[in-house]
Amino acid sequence: HTPLALAIMATCGSNCCDGDFDKDDVTTRTIESCLPFPLPDEILEDIVPKAKDFALLHGAGMRYKNKYDADTLQFAPFFLLPSGFPRREFERVVKLQPIINILMHKIAHDHEFLRSALEKTIKVDEFTRRLWDIYTTVREEGVAQDMSLGLVRSDVMLTKCQAGCCELCQTPPYVTVHQVEVNTIASGFGHMGPISGSMFRCDYFYSVPSQIAQQVEINTVASSFGALAARISLMHRYVLGELRKPELLSHLPENDALAGLCGGMISAWDAYGCPKAVILFVVEDVTYNICDQRFHEYEIRRQRPDIHVIRRSLTQIGQQGHLTSDKRLIITCAPAVSDYESCPAYVVLFRAGYEPGQYHTEAEWEARLTVERSKAIKSPSIQYHLAGTKKVQQEIARPGILKKFLSDSEAKLVSQLFTGLYTLDMSPEGDQAVQMAVENPERFVLKPQREGGGNNVYGEEIRTVLEKIRDSKEREAYILMDRIRPPIQQNYLVRAHQAATLVEVVSELGIFGTILGNAKDIQSSKFAGHMLRTKLSSVNEGGVAAGLGALDSVFLF
Ligand code: ADP
Ligand code: MG
Ligand code: MG
């Protein structure tokens, strides 16, 4: 391959992006694993139980979903080895995170932008309209708390570098030629050349076109897995150590997601300076992802023994919460914390409240309104929640919009993360997008205004859904997005009570960020760690709880 590869390198000049390679062609969409697969059976038999024990004993667990038992934990499904991710792209998205935080913060504080982005959506999407109503109520009565705490997670997937991306790839996009080995002695045939005066032979192989990261979405509410991600990173360090591969550890970046996110909550608490205040976690009726949530609580306690965390569902807040005349949020506390009698909750973290099913009755909506009206610093505040909707994300991606919120150079960097996003409103532009999607459904993802996975529409079903609603305003509840085709790799999926299986997978990297500030001032905007979720390449969405996706960490190459 060597002469051919070099010839392509040589002829691929500045116009190298003009070709017509097929970005959906699977044969060129692979990433090598960090160790040669398959692993010998005797190695697997040794390492899998060790990895499971590590996960269990470090709390990388969840509660049983199908057979709920509050007293029992199971390790969360995970991949045995870290999955490959290009270092250049990892560093790029890490560096961008503070800017993305600021972008979300500014959007959340731009009423006119939110209004125009969401005005059509809220006419047809009941859930978004209810959030909007809360926002309007709070705005009209005067915001009691002008500070917001953003704990955001920007999710990206890799895709093949295509026309226009050369600046990012910094290599010709068609073919990246990786050097496998440099032989300095007894070099045989091949490309000959001098390195430090000695003769060498480079063995090249045809590899994937350069991969670049593209954003799947930005989460501003209930960004989860910060704690478990850090534990899986540790497990992969342990596994590589047990496999006697310590030299690979330098490919595994540190992951302080838990400390970073909790640091964000603590700085919000400090911004208040009220020693009696608690941090209130708004949780589901039943929390399956309990380890992830509890570790946040314990980490806050570890960093700051003086801060108390309480957990309440929206239903409980409806029963136990009220506002004082000066809008402090008071939660009637259980005996264990009766010192506080009733707790002024000055920081509120929503780990629930992002999906309609979590509002059983009007009481839960009332509870949400009570929290939003209060003086507590919320993560997210209602405007941050709205800024994280899929519709707003699509509107941000319109040409010229980023420049309203960021400097020209920052806007350019962020825009390089975006893939095609299309409005489906009742305009000629929307008509065109509908047409495009109906003609080529496999190229797109159809997204409603929902969070938490499992809500998007793919493939043939896009056609079915759009054909039903193409002439009605109902389509304005959705947005359309280019489908990202990430590179495929192999890894061993480890699930409870099942043999580890070598499967073909794709990964999604989440970058956490924290930001604290009000409309005028931003006190801090930070990168706060990362997480990797990997799923079977054959499924559209692989929820960790559903068992089709699993926790993973990055192996930078
Ligand atoms: P949610 O807020 O429910 O997590 P996402 O936009 O993240 O919504 O979509 C859920 C999942 O669907 C993602 O984790 C990813 O696996 C898949 N997905 C979403 N958008 C795309 C896309 N543009 N291309 C490929 N897969 C996508
Ligand atoms: Mg989301
Ligand atoms: Mg998501």
Side-chain angles (χ1 to χ4, degrees), residues 144-145 272 274 276-282 310 312 314 316-318 320-333 342-350 366-378:
Q145 176 53 262
Y272 242 105
C274 170
K276 273 202 163 185
V278 301
I279 299 182
L280 166 65
F281 285 13
V282 180
I310 61 171
R312 295 288 186 281
L314 283 168
Q316 291 169 322
I317 294 169
Q320 304 167 10
H322 69 274
L323 292 187
T324 60
S325 57
D326 63 346
K327 294 202 180 156
R328 283 174 299 133
L329 173 63
I330 306 290
I331 307 289
T332 314
C333 279
S342 40
C343 313
Y346 274 168
V347 177
V348 177
L349 171 70
F350 284 98
E366 271 303 312
R368 178 76 193 258
L369 178 62
T370 303
V371 175
E372 295 298 339
R373 289 178 62 214
S374 80
K375 262 185 176 165
I377 300 179
K378 276 87 58 184

Side-chain angles (χ1 to χ4, degrees), residues 162-388:
Q162 5 173 342
C165 306
C166 292
E167 214 179 309
L168 286 179
C169 309
Q170 293 165 351
T171 53
Y174 289 91
V175 188
T176 313
V177 184
H178 287 285
Q179 191 175 1
V180 176
E181 192 184 5
V182 178
N183 296 301
T184 51
I185 50 165
S187 300
F189 296 107
H191 176 64
M192 311 291 276
I195 282 186
S196 318
S198 57
M199 293 301 286
F200 73 103
R201 189 194 88 210
C202 292
D203 291 318
Y204 294 102
F205 68 99
Y206 249 100
S207 183
V208 286
S210 262
Q211 300 285 340
I212 56 158
Q214 293 205 306
Q215 190 169 58
V216 173
E217 64 152 350
I218 306 175
N219 295 288
T220 58
V221 59
S223 307
S224 59
F225 290 123
L228 294 198
R231 272 149 222 268
I232 292 297
S233 292
L234 291 179
M235 188 204 68
H236 282 153
R237 286 185 171 270
Y238 165 76
V239 166
L240 287 178
E242 286 301 301
L243 292 173
R244 302 285 187 275
K245 295 286 175 196
E247 72 278 10
L248 294 181
L249 293 182
S250 62
H251 294 263
L252 273 51
E254 294 289 323
N255 194 1
D256 265 340
L258 181 62
L261 294 168
C262 293
M265 284 185 265
I266 291 170
S267 39
W269 190 89
D270 280 338
Y272 242 105
C274 170
K276 273 202 163 185
V278 301
I279 299 182
L280 166 65
F281 285 13
V282 180
V283 298
E284 314 89 324
D285 301 320
V286 173
T287 300
Y288 297 99
N289 202 4
I290 187 69
C291 298
D292 194 56
Q293 291 186 13
R294 284 286 188 199
F295 281 130
H296 283 77
E297 181 182 334
Y298 307 153
E299 174 65 16
I300 290 170
R301 177 64 52 82
R302 189 190 69 78
Q303 289 188 33
R304 289 288 294 274
D306 53 325
I307 303 180
H308 208 95
V309 171
I310 61 171
R311 300 164 54 85
R312 295 288 186 281
S313 67
L314 283 168
T315 311
Q316 291 169 322
I317 294 169
Q319 294 155 354
Q320 304 167 10
H322 69 274
L323 292 187
T324 60
S325 57
D326 63 346
K327 294 202 180 156
R328 283 174 299 133
L329 173 63
I330 306 290
I331 307 289
T332 314
C333 279
V337 284
S338 61
D339 266 6
Y340 293 100
E341 297 256 320
S342 40
C343 313
Y346 274 168
V347 177
V348 177
L349 171 70
F350 284 98
R351 289 289 299 239
Y354 55 82
E355 63 179 25
Q358 291 162 340
Y359 298 82
H360 310 298
T361 64
E362 284 305 303
E364 285 75 20
W365 282 108
E366 271 303 312
R368 178 76 193 258
L369 178 62
T370 303
V371 175
E372 295 298 339
R373 289 178 62 214
S374 80
K375 262 185 176 165
I377 300 179
K378 276 87 58 184
S379 183
S381 54
I382 190 73
Q383 67 270 28
Y384 250 84
H385 192 160
L386 290 167

